[in-house]
Amino acid sequence: MEGRAWEIEPQRSDKGDGPDSARTSFPRTQTRWTPKPCLPSPPSRPSRNSPHTTSHEAAAAAAGIMTVLSRSLAQRGAIKGLSTLSRGGPARGARATRRRPVAARAAQGEDNFDFFSEFGILSLRLGTSVMMFHNGLDKLVDPEGFSTFVVAKYLDFLPEPLLWTYGAIAAELACPVLLALGVLARPSAAALLATMTFATIFHLNDTGLEGFPLAVVEKHQYGFETSALYAGIFFYFLLAGPGKLSLGGGKK
């Protein structure tokens, strides 16, 4: 049977066997089987120098370190999440993160000053303004004739031709000065763009497209060519402003 051991217990007998028992008495051994429980032996503890012991201890130490690290990371993540929510949520934090590089680039762009580019813008602004001022003076010499032979004849959809003529004269005399100085540059560019748009319509009604863009005309330029170029330049200043070399500093 499992779990039991059998022992032999010797017992003495005082009775003799045979006729010589009176003289000599020998102990007689009787065998009796007594079951005893067999307790399991305690496991032997491996030596400290055993390779199995070293690997087990290393594994336990690694597991402890990983547990501490995971708890620390979990606590830091929870704290970071709470701080993000307190600032307005992750979406707001992401938007702020995206805005920071844009703001930094904008600040860096304001600090950088390209002299040659700004000088080119200044030259274009001054040259265009001077020539446009001449157009205003030309109309001011004979406003009635310009009103009769240009506005009333080719721009008949405009009421009060003489009033529109004086309006064009005022715009072509005042706005070039403001644009050259860089003061109220965008409103001035818008007013001059309007006058040049009407001038382009006048030339298109007078001469047409003249085979634009490939035809070679007798006057070596299209009738609407000059006014269209002026309109393009004023449209640029309307969008971009006068540049940094101006009294307005490029803000207006």
Side-chain angles (χ1 to χ4, degrees):
M1 295 178 64
E2 295 182 1
R4 295 179 179 274
W6 301 91
E7 292 184 356
I8 299 175
E9 295 183 358
Q11 292 184 357
R12 296 178 179 271
S13 177
D14 295 335
K15 296 180 180 181
D17 289 336
D20 297 332
S21 59
R23 289 175 300 162
T24 304
S25 176
F26 296 97
R28 186 177 180 180
T29 303
Q30 295 182 355
T31 302
R32 186 177 63 180
W33 300 96
T34 304
K36 287 187 177 182
C38 182
L39 298 177
S41 60
S44 60
R45 186 174 182 179
S47 174
R48 291 183 177 271
N49 297 327
S50 174
H52 299 287
T53 303
T54 305
S55 61
H56 287 308
E57 290 179 354
I65 293 173
M66 293 300 295
T67 303
V68 173
L69 288 177
S70 62
R71 289 179 181 176
S72 176
L73 292 176
Q75 291 176 358
R76 291 183 61 183
I79 294 172
K80 185 176 180 181
L82 290 176
S83 61
T84 304
L85 291 175
S86 64
R87 290 195 303 267
R92 182 177 177 182
R95 289 195 298 269
T97 305
R98 289 194 298 269
R99 283 198 298 268
R100 288 193 193 101
V102 176
R105 289 195 299 269
Q108 185 178 3
E110 291 178 359
D111 294 338
N112 295 333
F113 179 80
D114 190 347
F115 173 77
F116 293 103
S117 297
E118 296 299 332
F119 184 76
I121 295 173
L122 174 64
S123 302
L124 180 63
R125 194 176 76 243
L126 294 178
T128 306
S129 299
V130 169
M131 289 185 288
M132 183 52 57
F133 188 82
H134 163 74
N135 285 342
L137 291 177
D138 184 66
K139 293 180 179 66
L140 186 60
V141 172
D142 187 12
E144 288 80 6
F146 185 83
S147 172
T148 302
F149 296 105
V150 175
V151 179
K153 184 177 181 180
Y154 295 99
L155 302 174
D156 53 357
F157 57 89
L158 295 176
E160 300 295 334
L162 186 60
L163 180 63
W164 282 95
T165 299
Y166 280 110
I169 293 172
E172 292 178 359
L173 290 178
C175 292
V177 177
L178 295 175
L179 182 60
L181 297 176
V183 179
L184 298 175
R186 284 190 171 93
S188 300
L192 293 173
L193 175 61
T195 60
M196 289 299 101
T197 300
F198 286 124
T200 303
I201 295 173
F202 156 70
H203 288 291
L204 288 174
N205 289 334
D206 183 23
T207 59
L209 290 175
E210 299 178 276
F212 172 82
L214 300 178
V216 178
V217 296
E218 183 179 356
K219 296 181 180 180
H220 305 291
Q221 68 176 9
Y222 302 111
F224 64 91
E225 186 173 334
T226 303
S227 59
L229 288 174
Y230 274 123
I233 294 172
F234 294 135
F235 184 67
Y236 165 77
F237 285 118
L238 174 63
L239 298 180
K244 294 182 179 180
L245 293 178
S246 61
L247 295 181
K251 295 181 180 180
K252 295 183 180 180

